[in-house]
Amino acid sequence: MLYLDANATRPMEPGAAEALCRALSELPGNPHSPHQLGRKAAAAVEDARERVAALVGRPARQVRFTSGATEANAWALQGLRRAAVERGGGPARVLCSAVEHPSVLCQADERLPVDARGVIELDAVEQALDRPGVAVLSVMAANNETGVLQPLPELARLCRERGIPFHCDASQLPGRLDCADLPADLLTLSAHKLGGPKGCGALIGARLPPPLLCGGPQERGDRAGTVAVPLVHSFGVATTLCRPLEDELQRQLEAAAKELGATVLGEGAPRLPNTSALLFDQPGDLIVMALDLEGVCASTGAACASGAAEESHVLRAMGLRGLPVRLSWQRETPVLEVLPVLEAVLERLRSA
Ligand code: PMP
């Protein structure tokens, strides 16, 4: 089997999977319990906090664990909206790019346009930030469907000049590119995108928004609920095992895919080195199904959308129509092995 769907989720790093299995039996305590098993669990959580912090070059005290990127995004955006309403007494708006993950889009009041490559338009950002009542700007580091990177330093500067918080969903960056110096007030991470377990993530920032989940005093009072110790421990281990990729294979893959008639989405924009979203003259969902029968796991874009084979909001925002095939991989994936399979599948579909 050839697994080319790393942006939906990655098989776990073997070391992280082992750490998870061990933790399930060896770390049974509640980190808030006063006895030795509680202290041992608390020490594992703090070790993971250090590791996750090191991945993004921040102090450990900025890291709060969540159930994933979806929760971290909801916490960041709902929290900042609430804080702005309480400060200003009036409505407060959440702005984001038109190509965000649905977990950000569903929190936002306004979607800012991207160009044909999928890069956010800075003029539109500036105008939107100058209108009153902006609680936060949220723009992802890298798009999950196309791999297109957004101009974070410029976005951070525009926000800083106006005193507006800047949130960045960086879920797709670790394990693809270096992420030790991301200029955002709040960062979202997801463990399962970088070789850790599903159901775990983090919100990271010097000034965290008011809690989304209230109740117990966990996570310094910022996120109630017993910390998922085994998941968090495994997340920490995964951060130290994941490494950035080179873009050589991507270049070879895309050159060959173009020979087969592909348009590469986001071509010309800075992109992740592990993602190629390819638009062919045949529908992406049919190609993906045919690839599956040949043992290749790919998707048409976001995992949530691919079952329904709907056109994606990301393509629409780029002014494109159609269903692409998204190939996304991790280090050591022999991605070029997809080429003969893809060629045969396209030949079959074109002659049908
Ligand atoms: N943001 C982005 C950019 C993603 O790709 C995903 C996963 N598809 C999420 C958020 C949601 O992550 P999680 O599964 O950890 O909630």
Side-chain angles (χ1 to χ4, degrees), residues 25-42:
S25 54
E26 292 173 15
L27 293 171
N30 183 325
H32 275 259
S33 294
H35 47 67
Q36 52 180 300
L37 285 183
R39 286 196 301 277
K40 196 171 159 195

Side-chain angles (χ1 to χ4, degrees), residues 185-197:
D185 300 304
L186 286 172
L187 283 175
T188 285
L189 293 181
S190 174
H192 72 100
K193 308 288 183 185
L194 58 85

Side-chain angles (χ1 to χ4, degrees), residues 4 54 117-118 140 192 298 306 311:
L4 299 179
R117 301 169 308 157
M140 67 206 324
H192 72 100
S306 60
E311 282 193 11

Side-chain angles (χ1 to χ4, degrees), residues 115-137:
D115 63 21
R117 301 169 308 157
V119 178
I120 195 165
E121 295 189 0
L122 291 172
D123 288 349
V125 173
E126 204 160 353
Q127 282 172 23
L129 293 178
D130 280 338
R131 291 195 283 273
V134 178
V136 53
L137 172 69

